Amino acid sequence: MIDILLKYFPQLLNGFWVTIESSIIALFGSLILGTIFAVMQVSRNKITRIISETYVEIFRNIPLLVITLFFFAFVAPVAKKIGLPIDGFTAGTIGLTLYTSAFIAEVIRSGINSISSSQMEGAVSNGLSWWQAMRYIVLPQAFKISIPNLGNQFVNLVKNSSVLAFVAGLDLMYNANSIAQNTFDSLNTYFIVAIFYLIITMPISYYMKHLEQRFKGGAH
Amino acid sequence: MSDISMITFNNVEKYYGDFHALKKINLDIKKGEKVVLIGPSGSGKSTLIRTINGLEEINDGQLLVDGYDLASDKTDINKIRKNVGMVFQHFNLYDNKSTLENIMLAPRIVLKRPENENHKIAMELLDKVGLADKAANMPNELSGGQKQRVAIARSLAMQPKALLFDEPTSALDPEMIGDVLDVMKDIAQDSDMTMLVVTHEMNFAKQVSDRVIFMADGEVLEDSKTEEFFKNPKTKRAQQFLSQVEHH
């Protein structure tokens, strides 16, 4: 195992950074998209509700791999014709973002629904518009309540980023596959890769637990 | 009190499914008037007061608030809410904001009040309701009576033309009620704001209000000067109601 690690360390490290990069982009992208679709789903406008519900149902009910291959095999060639090259990394990260955003939308929507309607009524009666009340009063409280579930989604996201391996995304998993093929030592290669994934996911788990503890009991 | 109307109901109807919550309501409340709305529970008092700032939509009739037609699609409800404050039975303070921030938030965002002035007004209001020392506390660190006084200060910070109170003391422990009523009395005496108060506090009604509206089963049964109402209630329902609450 040590010899694989020593020999392929630069390659593994490259993949490790690609996985982190893809995960960070997808994390922020899916958090923003998920929040937008969650708010659309609790709005009083029927059209925005239908758009959001459709989006969420489509993306959380199709396998991530299918979404990613769709972008890689169909959207990428079309985009290339109009001068927008989409490589494996981009296709994979887009797929990961859209897929995760559907789950995050559900997490935040249920967070919003768990905040008493008296918060919204108090805010709009105080002169705030519905949007302002959502932004300053309801959403901050909904995020706090959603922290444990968001943590799960973020950890899943990092693990799901291995989908990049299927579209030549040059991530950790992609490099692991190639190393395993060269060395004929799958067991040790994937063991090393598992440790690399843990290096990313464990701090996320720990940090989300820490946040949860900090907000426990009060809404500070 | 002036002759200009602040709140006018013309044949207002409200249904919840099959339940007829408000029946042909006709009311006219003038600017600066202090009106108390009483009646047995389930009579539609809260529903009525909640229609005034659009928390409940009316199904028929006309409702004018400060010249705006609430049933019209062209009316921007936010403009009405900016000028019509509401104090709730369960306070509805922002759980994620400190006492001071509860008061300063809406003036900052909605009125764009400069920060220095905003802070000064908020502290003056906290002082007025006797809670200047609680400025930094979170709502969950306050008692019910304190929360309600902060909620009143929060409404006043918007300097509204009218203030609606929806059973402001019903959720409070008995020893907390007096402090809240005192604050409300001060407001009634010091300001020319229109006040509409849903309450079961008959002494407050007698001391503070110009007029009493008595409701039962979704209808306005009496609408008279306060003195007249308590001396000579016209309807049997009102007589019964008064004898019940006054013997407590």
Side-chain angles (χ1 to χ4, degrees):
Chain A
M1 186 158 67
I2 300 293
D3 46 315
I4 293 177
L5 190 60
L6 288 177
K7 188 171 174 199
Y8 292 100
F9 189 72
Q11 194 184 342
L12 285 165
L13 202 60
N14 276 341
F16 180 71
W17 289 123
V18 170
T19 290
I20 288 184
E21 201 185 329
S22 172
S23 297
I24 288 175
I25 295 169
L27 192 152
F28 284 104
S30 60
L31 192 57
I32 292 166
L33 273 180
T35 305
I36 291 170
F37 282 107
V39 171
M40 280 170 73
Q41 240 178 95
V42 296
S43 86
R44 287 210 253 176
N45 186 318
K46 207 173 176 178
I47 295 165
T48 62
R49 273 208 315 267
I50 290 172
I51 292 172
S52 170
E53 272 165 31
T54 311
Y55 175 91
V56 169
E57 288 311 321
I58 286 176
F59 283 104
R60 76 171 177 167
N61 289 316
I62 297 176
L64 171 59
L65 184 54
V66 175
I67 297 170
T68 302
L69 287 174
F70 173 79
F71 273 91
F72 190 65
F74 291 99
V75 179
V78 175
K80 201 174 179 183
K81 273 184 196 153
I82 57 165
L84 265 176
I86 294 183
D87 57 9
F89 174 83
T90 311
T93 306
I94 291 174
L96 190 60
T97 304
L98 298 182
Y99 177 79
T100 311
S101 71
F103 289 90
I104 288 187
E106 282 297 281
V107 167
I108 293 178
R109 182 187 60 81
S110 85
I112 292 171
N113 286 338
S114 72
I115 304 300
S116 162
S117 61
S118 67
Q119 293 290 305
M120 177 57 88
E121 286 192 351
V124 297
S125 299
N126 202 199
L128 271 66
S129 69
W130 188 90
W131 283 106
Q132 289 167 338
M134 192 45 82
R135 182 179 154 200
Y136 292 100
I137 305 304
V138 179
L139 267 182
Q141 296 182 55
F143 274 119
K144 273 173 205 164
I145 283 192
S146 306
I147 283 171
N149 287 330
L150 285 175
N152 281 337
Q153 296 303 330
F154 294 157
V155 169
N156 280 340
L157 183 153
V158 173
K159 295 187 291 180
N160 287 339
S161 72
S162 58
V163 77
L164 264 72
F166 286 92
V167 290
L170 306 179
D171 69 319
L172 192 51
M173 194 64 191
Y174 178 83
N175 284 297
N177 288 342
S178 103
I179 294 167
Q181 273 167 23
N182 290 337
T183 58
F184 302 105
D185 188 352
S186 299
L187 179 67
N188 284 317
T189 307
Y190 291 118
F191 191 83
I192 293 168
V193 165
I195 290 169
F196 272 100
Y197 276 110
L198 283 174
I199 292 172
I200 310 175
T201 50
M202 294 284 276
I204 297 177
S205 290
Y206 177 80
Y207 183 66
M208 296 309 275
K209 280 230 171 69
H210 166 76
L211 275 185
E212 195 187 335
Q213 285 299 324
R214 225 181 84 195
F215 291 133
K216 214 174 189 175
H220 292 262
Chain B
M1 204 188 354
S2 74
D3 286 336
I4 307 163
S5 294
M6 181 68 204
I7 301 163
T8 311
F9 285 77
N10 288 323
N11 297 322
V12 169
E13 306 276 355
K14 167 79 187 167
Y15 295 86
Y16 293 112
D18 287 338
F19 181 68
H20 201 170
L22 295 178
K23 298 171 187 163
K24 221 175 170 53
I25 303 290
N26 286 290
L27 279 179
D28 186 40
I29 296 169
K30 305 289 185 199
K31 285 195 169 154
E33 217 177 350
K34 320 293 180 207
V35 180
V36 159
L37 185 52
I38 63 174
S41 48
S43 59
K45 311 178 297 280
S46 284
T47 304
L48 186 145
I49 206 169
R50 284 165 61 87
T51 62
I52 296 169
N53 71 348
L55 289 181
E56 302 288 347
E57 282 176 18
I58 62 172
N59 298 116
D60 202 7
Q62 190 188 39
L63 174 50
L64 297 171
V65 178
D66 196 23
Y68 292 102
D69 182 350
L70 262 144
S72 162
D73 287 341
K74 288 174 199 141
T75 301
D76 179 3
I77 186 72
N78 295 324
K79 279 189 184 146
I80 297 171
R81 286 170 175 163
K82 208 161 85 174
N83 289 314
V84 180
M86 176 106 153
V87 174
F88 297 85
Q89 185 177 359
H90 295 287
F91 334 119
N92 298 20
L93 291 181
Y94 310 139
D95 290 336
N96 59 331
K97 303 278 178 198
S98 70
T99 298
L100 191 63
E101 266 303 304
N102 260 276
I103 300 172
M104 288 172 68
L105 184 75
R108 181 189 302 132
I109 296 170
V110 182
L111 306 178
K112 316 268 182 240
R113 186 178 287 161
E115 199 63 12
N116 287 345
E117 192 191 340
N118 195 16
H119 187 269
K120 188 170 154 263
I121 292 174
M123 284 310 295
E124 280 168 8
L125 284 168
L126 269 180
D127 195 42
K128 187 175 174 176
V129 300
L131 293 170
D133 58 327
K134 301 285 183 196
N137 288 73
M138 298 302 285
N140 62 2
E141 296 163 343
L142 304 178
S143 72
Q146 290 170 335
K147 281 182 193 168
Q148 194 60 295
R149 284 183 279 152
V150 173
I152 293 171
R154 179 176 75 176
S155 294
L156 291 175
M158 289 296 283
Q159 297 168 339
K161 294 179 186 169
L163 197 43
L164 311 170
F165 293 83
D166 187 7
E167 302 207 28
T169 57
S170 300
L172 300 179
D173 292 335
E175 72 270 22
M176 305 281 183
I177 293 175
D179 290 340
V180 172
L181 290 178
D182 286 344
V183 168
M184 290 168 63
K185 278 178 204 163
D186 284 347
I187 301 167
Q189 276 148 16
D190 298 347
S191 82
D192 51 4
M193 208 167 35
T194 310
M195 282 171 77
L196 180 57
V197 185
V198 174
T199 187
H200 294 291
E201 298 291 330
M202 293 305 137
N203 283 327
F204 173 81
K206 282 177 197 165
Q207 287 166 25
V208 173
S209 68
D210 304 310
R211 214 167 114 197
V212 173
I213 293 163
F214 177 76
M215 285 183 79
D217 301 326
E219 283 178 288
V220 171
L221 294 186
E222 298 206 25
D223 180 357
S224 14
K225 294 246 178 258
T226 303
E227 229 185 77
E228 198 182 309
F229 175 79
F230 283 106
K231 233 186 250 169
N232 280 317
K234 281 173 277 190
T235 58
K236 203 146 196 151
R237 286 297 296 270
Q239 288 163 14
Q240 271 173 358
F241 178 77
L242 281 179
S243 73
Q244 276 164 359
V245 291
E246 292 195 329
H247 284 126
H248 276 311

